[in-house]
Structure formats: structure tokens, C-alpha cells
Amino acid sequence: MKNLTQRSIGTLALAAALVACSTEGKGSQERHRPEHASIDAKAEHVNRPLDRYFLSPQDVLQIRKAEASLTNRCMRNLHYASHPLPMPRLEHEESNLSEFLIFPVSQAREHGYEVARKASDSDTEWKSRATRTQIALLDGTLRQYKRKTVPKGGCSAFAAQTLMRGTRHQRIQIDGMSITHDASATPDGIFDTVLSAMRYSTAVKSDSDERVKSVTEEWSSCMQKAGFHYASPAEAATDSRWSKGNRPTKLETSVAVADMKCKKEVRYLDTVVEVQSENERNMAAEQSTTLKSLQKDLKVWLSNARKEVNRQPA
């Protein structure tokens, strides 16, 4: 389903863009060391300025419940009732340190860079059991079914457009990137795409910051002392020698452990988060009109979602 898969812009890809910093030209000035970055060590969560604009887990749940209900209703109206979309559950916030290619040393020792290689798709299990006919009804490639006319764009588009009723599609510009969405894009997908694009843009800016370059050089020097030669954390995590299977090699786990220890030693995370947070504050100010517009639309989208959820069971 296009509206489901659009929800993620690729968090680990963003992390790679953030940490793949250039190390050309060693800085001669002493690097500013932040006193404190906004990191909740107990929850293993990094807090950044743009976080406040992402949808809350409760809002996402409300929208996805309505999406599932609308999609299933559309499918029933077409006389296709098998294998309905399941009602989603509340997703609790998890550690986001993997965005910075940081994870516990114990995990590095056991699994190497496994967390950096894996990309999750919460819809994979459901999709694996969906029939071709069902997919065609969802995306609209099948226009007629059992003498019924399939809505334009399919049941996915029907659900999305119902949720979006009362607002209009808009083209959003972010640092040269033009963001548009198709008829099957749902509110949570739009928010995730726009805000992730903003976050990606701030991460790219962080790459050229002298503080990030400097701490990356310090990390690289620390790794060399441990016997490993990498210019950046992304280079270490994506080494082509690492196992693509279930079990990492001894070399991979050794590098991963040294990587985590060196990041802690040079205060890598503090520096990167501090720099990215500065850029995110600037981005929020620059995109204030867009953010206010999205938040205004969200009130309408949530109202539409509540009406659908209260209307009838999926």
C-alpha cells in the first residue's frame, strides 16, 4: 500500500548522511565541546527541536485506525472481505540512538553492526499474505471488481482522501527539495515525509560544521589506536566485509565495540546532537509557515479520523 510505505523516509539512511562527514583539512582551532546535549540516557533517546512537530503516538494511532477502518469498509463495499487490515496498536517510543549509529557495547559485541543493516517494515507480514487481487483493489490498478467500480486510486486513495477532506494538497519546498504527495498519502505519511526531509537537510548542514568534522577526526584517531582505520562512523558501519547473514564475524564485532567506545571517549554524540539541534532550531524558524499550516490541517485530519473510528468497527 503506497500510503503505508510512504510513512518512513529511511531513518538509517539519514543517519548515514549525518555521520559520513568529510575529514579533509584538519582543523587547527580547538573544538567547542558542548556542556550538555539533550539526551535522555535512561530512555536512550535523543531529543531534538523538530521532535515537537512530529505526530504523537496517540495521533498516529487515531489516524491509522481510521485509515484501516476506511480501507476495510471500501473493500467490503467491493465484496472483498477476506484478509482485512488489522487494527493498529499504540506504538511506544523506542531508542533512537541507532539513527546516530550508536548502540550498547554489549549489543555491538554480540551482533556487530546488525542494527545498522536492518530496515524494518511493519507492514511486511500483512503484505506477505495479501493476494494480487487485494493489492490491485488497494492501489486501483483493478478498476472493476464483481460489477463494482473501484474508487480512483483504489481503496488506499479512498481512505486517504476521506481523512484529508476539508484540506488541500500543497507543494512544500525545503532547501531545494520539492515535496508533493499522491492521492493515497495519509496525514501521518505527510508529516513524516516533510519533517524527515527537514531533518535530513539539517543533517547535511551538520556535515560541514567544523565541530562535527573535528569530533569525527578525533573518533578516527581513537579507532586507529585500536588498530582500525576508518574516516567516519558511517564508513565503519557499512564496511563491505561485514556479514550479510545472521552471525557477524569476530572482526566486525571487534570494530563495532571499538567504535562505540571511541564515540563515548570523544563525546561524539554530544557534539553531533548539539550541532544538529542548532540547525533544527533554524529550520523550524525558516519553515514556521509550513509547520503552522500542517498543524492547522492536522486538527481537521484528526477530526475526520475520530468521526470514522466512532462511526463503525473495521
Side-chain angles (χ1 to χ4, degrees):
M1 297 174 63
K2 289 181 286 185
N3 57 320
L4 292 177
T5 56
Q6 186 184 8
R7 290 187 177 119
S8 175
I9 197 171
T11 303
L12 291 178
L14 170 60
L18 174 62
V19 298
C21 308
S22 170
T23 56
E24 295 178 3
K26 198 164 185 173
S28 57
Q29 297 181 346
E30 182 178 354
R31 176 172 61 85
H32 164 67
R33 290 182 178 273
E35 289 297 322
H36 175 260
S38 185
I39 303 168
D40 185 339
K42 186 176 181 180
E44 295 185 337
H45 188 83
V46 175
N47 303 302
R48 289 162 287 177
L50 286 179
D51 288 346
R52 59 175 293 206
Y53 298 103
F54 280 86
L55 297 186
S56 70
Q58 291 76 17
D59 287 348
V60 171
L61 179 63
Q62 186 85 320
I63 289 169
R64 292 186 182 179
K65 277 185 174 181
E67 178 188 0
S69 177
L70 284 161
T71 301
N72 292 340
R73 174 152 59 92
C74 174
M75 296 292 282
R76 286 196 304 269
N77 289 342
L78 295 172
H79 302 304
Y80 192 106
S82 62
H83 190 44
L85 275 173
M87 278 292 108
R89 298 179 180 178
L90 183 65
E91 295 182 1
H92 297 287
E93 192 172 52
E94 298 178 351
S95 169
N96 64 352
L97 293 183
S98 60
E99 290 187 35
F100 301 89
L101 300 179
I102 290 177
F103 33 92
V105 170
S106 58
Q107 184 175 334
R109 186 175 291 113
E110 180 71 19
H111 302 289
Y113 288 104
E114 180 183 52
V115 69
R117 290 193 297 270
K118 284 188 174 180
S120 65
D121 184 353
S122 59
D123 304 316
T124 298
E125 184 179 351
W126 183 88
K127 287 178 184 176
S128 67
R129 295 186 288 116
T131 66
R132 289 184 179 181
T133 298
Q134 187 171 20
I135 295 298
L137 293 175
L138 289 169
D139 64 22
T141 53
L142 188 60
R143 302 308 305 275
Q144 292 283 330
Y145 183 71
K146 292 185 178 180
R147 297 183 181 181
K148 290 276 189 175
T149 300
V150 179
K152 185 178 180 180
C155 286
S156 294
F158 167 79
Q161 290 165 18
T162 303
L163 284 172
M164 304 276 282
R165 188 176 295 150
T167 60
R168 61 183 180 84
H169 289 227
Q170 53 183 305
R171 183 188 298 269
I172 298 172
Q173 299 287 335
I174 300 174
D175 288 351
M177 291 183 285
S178 180
I179 299 175
T180 58
H181 49 269
D182 63 23
S184 64
T186 52
D188 55 321
I190 292 169
F191 260 85
D192 186 68
T193 299
V194 172
L195 289 166
S196 294
M198 290 183 184
R199 178 152 283 168
Y200 173 80
S201 180
T202 62
V204 171
K205 287 186 176 73
S206 298
D207 287 350
S208 59
D209 190 284
E210 288 302 321
R211 289 167 292 177
V212 175
K213 288 182 178 180
S214 181
V215 76
T216 302
E217 291 169 0
E218 290 184 29
W219 172 90
S220 182
S221 296
C222 177
M223 291 292 284
Q224 287 184 37
K225 292 176 183 177
F228 308 114
H229 300 272
Y230 294 100
S232 72
E235 186 178 308
T238 59
D239 192 318
S240 61
R241 294 176 295 174
W242 302 155
S243 171
K244 301 300 187 294
N246 295 325
R247 298 298 305 169
T249 63
K250 184 176 180 180
L251 175 60
E252 179 184 341
T253 57
S254 296
V255 171
V257 168
D259 181 0
M260 298 309 113
K261 289 181 177 179
C262 284
K263 284 192 178 103
K264 183 176 181 180
E265 181 177 319
V266 303
R267 297 180 63 191
Y268 175 83
L269 183 62
D270 292 83
T271 301
V272 172
V273 171
E274 184 73 10
V275 172
Q276 190 178 358
S277 294
E278 288 178 9
N279 288 327
E280 287 198 5
R281 282 190 286 271
N282 293 335
M283 175 64 74
E286 293 168 7
Q287 294 288 338
S288 61
T289 300
T290 295
L291 291 169
K292 287 177 182 177
S293 178
L294 284 173
Q295 289 176 321
K296 181 179 178 181
D297 286 346
L298 177 62
K299 293 180 181 179
V300 178
W301 297 337
L302 286 173
S303 176
N304 291 340
R306 281 192 292 271
K307 289 176 183 176
E308 174 57 30
V309 170
N310 295 330
R311 180 178 184 273
Q312 63 177 29

